[in-house]
């Protein structure tokens, strides 16, 4: 029994031991699993924490990047808005009060926005708060009266300060304070409307709008603002700015009829330049109404939505009063005259001259530009004004205005100034400025002593007239506009010839004056249809008998421009020129008749620096092949340049006074009398004539020269000439011989003071003059007087057949009678550096030439 129990106990113990072992093993496995689970949990927690940290960093980085981009974009947009605001509200319309000064808009620029305060948007710099008004909107302002009145005061000052004096007509309806609210504006004389005057005011505005609508519709413009923008004369009507400072009684007492008129003004006023600024009176909504609500110096308006504007403080009353006094004074005296730049068009050379030329020369007293026409009617212009009246300045302004509108293919200018000076030298290239006015074909300066050049220009214009008339006949065209239509490839610009102090050309009873008057009359009568226009200017038009003695000539000059105190430019009963002030002119396109006057204020067009900048712009834009103008300067001595002759040798004696600057040539063929006599006592000029002749002959081929000098003062010039000639002998009084050996090449005898050779050499000289040309021996001699030449040719009974050509220097016309083909001699009064040239084989009458100055550096 006991052993059974023991065995049972042992078995149970064994099982318990096994159970405890299994339990310990399970416990150990559980402990191990728990440890692994705790380790995994720790890893998960660490990873989660790390992930949270990384996500937070990424979130902060993304938020910082978004904020940075936001601030950058906001700053950029704010800068753009600020730039747009500067453009939309420039000058007095948008400047802060501490920097505020009045400013005037450029011609043709539409009004912009007006500043009332500043917009602060988060961290960006403040932006100007702008509202529309002129040509854009009515303003309806609500809020407490003091703040509202301050805002209205600022808006009015900006509107007035950013327009020209007189462009805004201010009307104030203030029944409560009888205009006292806007008292600082009293100096500009606004219209104040008191209690009971609202109905009349509204009726007047409606009537004004109806009248403007008729004008706008007649011009087919959507609004008066568009009409003003397309008008070169500026705004045809001022803006009507009406401020209605209504009290409670007005809101109650306004009648249905007045309400209807008010709503009509709201609907149609902006397009007609009528603008309302209303406080204290409700009006219906309309697209043209800008509502502004003011609360504690903060305003909101329709155009800016929910953006708040911190209002600017009101302008100081003393500043308003000072501005209004200045504006009133400027309105009384009128706007300043237009400048030369104001006469420029929006685009250079955009005009066509097919139907005529139109260009402003200044402005009227209201600031609108005054245009002067030239074409079929009026065809020609007459300008008059005493010395100092501004005649040259007027011509400068007119030419500058024409040159900016019409290019060189549309306009050709011929300019001639007979007074002492260089008025037209500015249009030509010079040593300091190589530019020239591309339209100028010819300019004559300092020609007061060279009437022959004026005659040469008229002859050239006559050739142009004949060429155009022939072309018009070929194309069956009656006038230039038709010719240009039929011959579009032809170069037919309009020609404007300006002759300042033209009376010099017509003075004197001589052949020059007679021919000049005949040419002028022909050009004036026939040139109008062929696009050739004359502009004649003079200090004293009344005293030019050659002009007023020909009714057919003066009748062609229907465009008259009279400067202060001008006489007889206008009709006898037209006294406008006697009363206009300095720097003004009267423009009349009806031959000076009363009732056709336009008073023009002339700009200062004489500023060389201002003109030089404009001319350089035109010069740089000149078309390819645009020729440099021909300049004739009466005070300049032309430089000698050797030229080749024709089929037979030709001696260059000087420069002809003509448009093309051609040399005066003397042909020296094998005909009797092919000799030259230079007559006069001016040694230097005589030497230059002989030197130019010899050097030009030497340049034309092999020749031999015998230089005879019998005048000590000419010895230096003679010896220098010998040194420069390729083949030459020199003789003086000690070895003089006129028995010259025969040569194969042409032989030219140059005699300096041949009258000093003496009686012993006269037979040989006569033989040389008579027989030499047939043997290709020609004498080019200088005699100091006609009687001395006659003595050398045989005395009182001598004939001058051996002298086929002569050049007279300081010899009076009457003394040249023996050499002249007509009795009494030529009409000739000697002038420095001018000579009278006559070649019996070419000329019917002598011509004036300019002896070249021949220096040692001529080659």
């Amino acid at each position: 029994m006991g052993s059974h129990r023991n065995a049972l106990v042992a078995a149970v113990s064994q099982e318990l031991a096994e159970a405890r072992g299994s339990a310990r093993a399970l416990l150990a496995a559980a402990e191990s699993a728990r440890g692994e689970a705790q380790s995994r949990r720790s890893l998960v927690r660490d990873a989660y924490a790390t992930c949270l940290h990384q996500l937070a960093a990424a979130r902060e980085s993304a938020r910082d990047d978004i904020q940075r981009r936001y601030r950058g974009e906001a700053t950029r947009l704010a800068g753009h808005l600020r730039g747009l605001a500067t453009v939309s509200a420039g000058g007095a319309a948008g400047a802060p009060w501490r920097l505020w000064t009045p400013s005037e808009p450029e011609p043709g620029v539409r009004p912009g926005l007006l500043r009332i305060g500043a917009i602060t948007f988060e961290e960006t710099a403040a932006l100007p708060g702008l509202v529309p008004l002129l040509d854009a909107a009515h303003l309806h302002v609500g809020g407490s009266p003091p703040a509202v009145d301050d805002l209205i005061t600022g808006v009015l000052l900006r509107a007035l300060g950013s327009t020209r004096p007189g462009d805004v007509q201010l009307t104030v309806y203030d029944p409560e304070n009888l205009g006292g609210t806007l008292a600082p504006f009293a100096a500009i004389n606004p219209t104040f409307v008191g209690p009971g005057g609202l109905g009349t005011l509204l009726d007047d505005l409606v009537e004004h709008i109806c009248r403007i609508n008729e004008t706008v519709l007649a011009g087919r413009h959507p609004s008066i603002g568009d009409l003003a923008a397309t008008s070169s004369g500026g705004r045809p009507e001022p803006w009507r700015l009406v401020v209605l400072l209504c009290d409670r009684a007005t809101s109650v007492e306004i009648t249905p009829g007045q309400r209807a008129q008010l709503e009509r003004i709201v609907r149609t006023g902006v397009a007609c330049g009528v603008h309302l600024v209303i406080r204290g009176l409700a009006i219906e909504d309309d697209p043209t109404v800008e509502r502004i609500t003011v609360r504690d110096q903060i305003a909101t308006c329709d155009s800016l939505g929910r953006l708040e504007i911190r209002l600017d403080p009101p302008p100081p009353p003393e500043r308003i009063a000072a501005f209004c006094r200045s504006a009133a004074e400027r309105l009384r005296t009128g706007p300043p005259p237009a400048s030369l730049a104001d006469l420029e068009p929006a685009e250079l050379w955009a005009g066509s001259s097919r139907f005529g030329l139109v260009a402003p020369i200044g402005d009227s007293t209201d600031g609108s530009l005054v245009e002067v026409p030239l074409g079929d009617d009026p065809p020609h212009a007459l300008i008059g004004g005493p010395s100092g009246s501004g005649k040259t300045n007027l011509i400068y302004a007119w030419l500058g205005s024409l040159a900016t509108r019409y290019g060189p293919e549309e306009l050709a200018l011929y300019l001639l100034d007979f007074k002492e000076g260089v008025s037209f030298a500015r249009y030509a290239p010079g040593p300091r400025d190589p530019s020239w006015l591309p339209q100028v074909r010819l300019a004559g300066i300092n020609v007061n002593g060279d009437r022959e050049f004026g005659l040469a220009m008229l002859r050239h214009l006559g050739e142009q007239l004949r060429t155009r008339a022939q072309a018009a006949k070929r194309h069956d065209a009656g006038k230039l506009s038709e010719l240009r239509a039929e011959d579009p490839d032809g170069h037919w610009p309009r020609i404007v010839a300006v002759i300042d102090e033209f009376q010099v050309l017509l003075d004197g009873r001589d052949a020059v004056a007679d021919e000049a008057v005949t040419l002028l009359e022909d050009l004036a009568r026939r040139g109008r249809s062929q696009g050739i226009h004359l502009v004649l200017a003079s200090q004293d038009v009344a005293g030019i008998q050659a002009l007023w003695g020909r009714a057919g000539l003066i009748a062609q000059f229907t465009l008259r421009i009279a400067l202060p105190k001008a006489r007889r430019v206008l009709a006898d009963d037209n006294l406008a020129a006697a009363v206009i002030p300095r720097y003004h002119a009267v423009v009349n396109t009806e031959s000076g008749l009363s009732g056709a006057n336009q008073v023009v204020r002339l700009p200062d067009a004489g500023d060389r620096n201002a003109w030089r900048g404009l001319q350089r712009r035109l010069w740089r834009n000149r078309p390819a092949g645009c020729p440099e103008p021909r300049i004739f300067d009466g005070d300049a001595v032309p430089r000698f340049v050797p030229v080749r002759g024709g089929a037979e040798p030709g001696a260059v004696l000087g420069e002809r006074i003509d448009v093309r600057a051609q040399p005066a040539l003397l042909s020296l063929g094998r005909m009797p009398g092919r000799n030259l006599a230079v007559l006069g006592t001016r040694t230097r000029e005589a030497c230059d004539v002989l030197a130019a002749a010899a050097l030009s002959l030497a340049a034309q081929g092999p020749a031999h020269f015998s230089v005879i000098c019998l005048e000590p003062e000419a010895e230096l010039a003679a010896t220098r000439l010998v040194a420069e000639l390729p083949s030459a002998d020199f003789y003086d009084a000690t070895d003089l011989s006129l028995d010259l050996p025969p040569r194969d090449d042409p032989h030219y005898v140059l005699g300096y003071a041949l009258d000093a050779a003496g009686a012993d050499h006269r037979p040989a000289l006569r033989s040389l003059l008579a027989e030499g040309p047939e043997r290709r021996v020609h004498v080019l001699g200088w005699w100091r007087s006609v009687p001395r030449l006659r003595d050398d040719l045989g005395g009182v009974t001598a004939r001058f057949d051996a002298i086929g050509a002569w050049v007279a220097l300081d010899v009076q016309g009457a003394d040249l009678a023996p050499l002249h083909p007509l009795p009494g001699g030529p009409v000739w009064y000697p002038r420095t550096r001018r000579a009278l040239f006559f070649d019996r084989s070419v000329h019917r009458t002598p011509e004036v030439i300019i002896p070249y100055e021949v220096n040692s550096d001529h080659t």
Side-chain angles (χ1 to χ4, degrees):
M1 208 45 198
S3 60
H4 178 72
R5 185 181 334 59
N6 290 336
L8 184 59
V9 169
V12 171
S13 297
Q14 181 64 32
E15 290 178 358
L16 289 172
E18 290 176 0
R20 283 196 299 272
S22 297
R24 282 195 294 273
L26 290 173
L27 179 62
E31 289 292 338
S32 176
R34 187 184 68 174
E36 291 179 0
Q38 289 177 340
S39 177
R40 285 196 300 271
R41 185 182 66 180
S42 178
L43 290 174
V44 171
R45 285 180 176 176
D46 291 344
Y48 175 70
T50 301
C51 194
L52 285 178
H53 178 73
Q54 290 176 345
L55 287 174
R59 182 187 63 187
E60 291 298 325
S61 176
R63 185 173 64 180
D64 291 345
D65 182 62
I66 291 171
Q67 289 179 343
R68 183 171 58 256
R69 283 188 294 166
Y70 169 77
R71 287 192 296 269
E73 188 70 12
T75 301
R76 185 180 66 82
L77 291 175
H80 288 175
L81 290 174
R82 194 172 292 106
L84 290 173
T86 302
V87 173
S88 301
W97 292 126
R98 59 186 178 85
L99 304 175
W100 190 88
T101 55
S103 61
E104 290 189 6
E106 295 293 330
V109 175
R110 301 287 289 269
L113 306 177
L114 303 176
R115 173 183 172 127
I116 61 172
I119 302 171
T120 302
F121 186 70
E122 295 190 0
E123 298 180 2
T124 61
L127 299 173
L130 308 176
V131 295
L133 183 57
L134 299 179
D135 279 351
H138 306 289
L139 297 184
H140 183 276
V141 189
S144 59
V148 169
D149 292 345
D150 290 344
L151 185 150
I152 292 174
T153 300
V155 167
L156 293 181
L157 183 57
R158 291 190 185 279
L160 293 167
S162 58
T163 55
R164 296 178 181 85
D167 278 0
V168 176
Q169 182 177 331
L170 181 61
T171 301
V172 179
Y173 172 70
D174 186 11
E176 186 174 6
N177 295 315
L178 301 180
T181 306
L182 300 178
F185 293 93
I188 61 172
N189 196 27
T191 301
F192 287 105
V193 179
L198 180 61
T200 302
L201 171 61
L202 297 177
D203 292 340
D204 290 343
L205 292 177
V206 170
E207 183 179 348
H208 175 76
I209 290 171
C210 292
R211 182 175 60 83
I212 293 298
N213 271 328
E214 293 176 359
T215 303
V216 171
L217 290 175
R220 297 186 179 181
H221 295 279
S223 70
I224 193 173
D226 296 290
L227 177 61
T230 59
S231 172
S232 61
R235 189 173 184 84
E237 290 280 348
W239 285 286
R240 298 286 294 270
L241 188 52
V242 182
V243 183
L244 303 180
L245 303 177
C246 302
D247 54 5
R248 183 170 300 177
T250 302
S251 301
V252 174
E253 297 172 359
I254 187 170
T255 66
Q258 293 172 351
R259 173 68 67 177
Q261 294 287 64
L262 178 63
E263 297 302 332
R264 186 176 181 182
I265 295 169
V266 169
R267 290 193 310 271
T268 61
V270 170
C272 297
V274 176
H275 299 273
L276 303 176
V277 179
I278 303 174
R279 181 259 282 170
L281 183 64
I283 58 175
E284 296 292 332
D285 289 335
D286 189 87
T288 61
V289 175
E290 176 80 357
R291 297 185 184 274
I292 305 174
T293 304
V294 179
R295 296 185 183 88
D296 298 329
Q297 297 302 311
I298 300 295
T300 57
C301 60
D302 292 344
S303 58
L304 296 177
R306 292 179 298 174
L307 291 177
E308 294 184 343
I309 305 172
R310 180 167 294 277
L311 296 177
D312 290 335
E318 57 273 13
R319 172 171 290 182
I320 301 174
F323 162 75
C324 291
R325 287 194 299 270
S326 174
E329 177 62 22
R330 290 184 57 195
L331 185 61
R332 185 184 65 81
T333 59
S339 65
L340 185 60
D342 294 331
L343 304 185
E344 292 185 33
E347 181 181 356
L348 294 178
W349 294 354
S352 170
S353 64
R354 177 180 172 185
F355 296 102
L357 302 167
V358 178
I361 62 172
D363 63 352
S364 61
T365 53
D366 63 359
S368 60
L369 295 180
V370 176
E371 294 183 331
V372 175
L374 270 182
D376 293 344
D377 186 25
H380 311 292
L382 184 64
I383 302 174
S387 177
S389 62
K391 175 167 54 67
T392 301
N393 181 70
L394 165 64
I395 294 173
Y396 283 163
W398 197 359
L399 292 179
S401 184
L402 285 170
T404 56
R405 280 164 173 75
Y406 304 98
E409 297 177 350
E410 299 290 334
L411 173 65
L413 296 174
Y414 291 77
L415 311 176
L416 199 58
D417 184 8
F418 275 106
K419 66 176 179 295
E420 295 182 6
V422 290
S423 297
F424 296 141
R426 59 164 51 190
Y427 303 121
R432 295 184 179 180
D433 185 3
S435 69
W436 68 84
L437 189 62
Q439 292 88 344
V440 174
R441 302 292 188 270
L442 177 144
I445 58 178
N446 293 314
V447 293
N448 52 301
D450 290 303
R451 298 164 63 226
E452 297 84 4
F453 185 76
L455 192 60
M457 189 186 83
L458 294 180
R459 290 170 179 165
H460 176 75
L461 294 177
E463 295 173 3
Q464 295 281 329
L465 175 60
R466 287 188 290 275
T467 300
R468 293 181 177 216
Q470 292 169 1
K473 185 177 181 180
R474 288 196 305 270
H475 292 280
D476 195 21
K479 51 188 178 181
L480 182 66
S481 58
E482 298 173 359
L483 174 60
R484 289 181 58 166
E486 296 294 330
D487 185 17
D489 296 329
H491 182 54
W492 306 111
R494 287 195 180 265
I495 294 175
V496 176
V498 181
I499 307 178
D500 195 8
E501 300 304 337
F502 73 99
Q503 76 279 358
V504 175
L505 180 61
L506 307 183
D507 280 348
R509 298 179 179 178
D510 56 10
V512 173
D514 293 342
E515 185 178 357
V517 171
T518 301
L519 288 171
L520 279 175
E521 189 167 10
D522 187 52
L523 287 168
R525 181 173 50 85
R526 298 171 54 214
R528 62 187 303 165
S529 62
Q530 302 302 330
I532 299 177
H533 309 285
L534 302 175
V535 177
L536 305 184
S538 175
Q539 295 181 9
D540 185 16
V541 175
I544 307 175
Q545 296 302 322
L547 179 67
W548 298 105
R550 299 207 177 193
L553 174 59
I554 193 63
Q556 302 295 328
F557 290 81
T558 55
L559 173 58
R560 309 289 179 86
I561 303 179
L563 292 150
K565 305 299 185 292
R567 296 190 305 137
R568 209 172 177 180
V569 178
L570 306 177
D572 293 340
D573 61 346
N574 190 344
L575 305 179
V579 297
I580 58 173
R582 195 179 180 189
Y583 309 120
H584 287 63
V586 177
V587 176
N588 188 301
T589 59
E590 300 292 338
S591 299
L593 295 177
S594 298
N597 295 335
Q598 278 187 294
V599 178
V600 185
R601 300 185 307 167
L602 301 174
D604 181 7
D607 188 343
R608 281 186 171 271
N609 293 328
W611 171 253
R612 188 176 292 117
L614 174 60
Q615 178 166 289
R616 285 176 178 172
R617 278 194 289 138
L618 299 176
W619 180 64
R620 286 192 291 266
N621 291 333
R622 71 191 186 279
C626 182
E628 186 173 326
R630 153 77 162 126
I631 304 300
F632 178 83
D633 185 354
D635 288 348
V637 180
R639 181 174 179 170
F640 168 71
V641 178
V643 296
R644 294 191 176 276
E648 57 187 23
V652 173
L653 306 179
E655 182 177 283
R656 299 181 64 190
I657 299 181
D658 65 5
V659 171
R660 297 179 180 86
Q662 295 177 332
L665 288 173
L666 171 64
S667 296
L668 296 175
R670 303 177 71 168
M671 294 87 69
R674 290 291 83 194
N675 303 300
L676 172 71
V678 181
L679 305 169
T681 60
R682 294 202 291 254
T683 302
R684 182 176 178 181
E685 294 180 24
C687 292
D688 283 343
V689 172
L690 293 178
L695 292 170
S696 60
L697 290 168
Q700 296 174 39
H704 184 76
F705 296 85
S706 295
V707 179
I708 302 171
C709 182
L710 306 178
E711 169 58 53
E713 292 184 4
E715 185 174 353
L716 177 61
T719 55
R720 185 174 65 188
L721 177 62
V722 170
E724 297 186 9
L725 292 173
S727 174
D729 301 326
F730 181 78
Y731 303 90
D732 59 17
T734 61
D735 58 354
L736 174 61
S737 175
L738 294 176
D739 296 322
L740 303 175
R743 293 181 176 274
D744 295 334
D745 296 330
H747 189 179
Y748 303 105
V749 179
L750 304 175
Y752 290 78
L754 282 179
D755 52 272
D760 294 341
H761 296 283
R762 283 174 180 166
L765 177 59
R766 293 169 189 163
S767 176
L768 190 63
L769 288 170
E771 302 172 3
E774 295 182 5
R775 295 183 285 112
R776 302 174 71 187
V777 178
H778 305 275
V779 176
L780 290 81
W782 165 36
W783 283 266
R784 286 169 287 192
S785 70
V786 175
R788 292 187 181 190
L789 171 63
R790 183 173 51 200
D791 291 342
D792 285 344
L793 294 179
V796 176
T797 61
R799 295 176 58 87
F800 291 87
D801 295 343
I803 304 298
W806 47 266
V807 173
L809 300 173
D810 56 343
V811 181
Q812 295 294 329
D815 296 336
L816 295 169
L819 295 162
H820 194 257
L822 299 178
V827 179
W828 168 244
Y829 303 98
R831 313 193 297 267
T832 303
R833 268 295 158 182
R834 298 295 182 270
L836 198 63
F837 171 45
F838 180 75
D839 183 349
R840 190 169 58 215
S841 65
V842 176
H843 294 130
R844 295 178 58 189
T845 58
E847 70 169 317
V848 180
I849 65 171
I850 307 174
Y852 290 113
E853 184 174 10
V854 183
N855 297 320
S856 59
D857 62 343
H858 64 273
T859 56

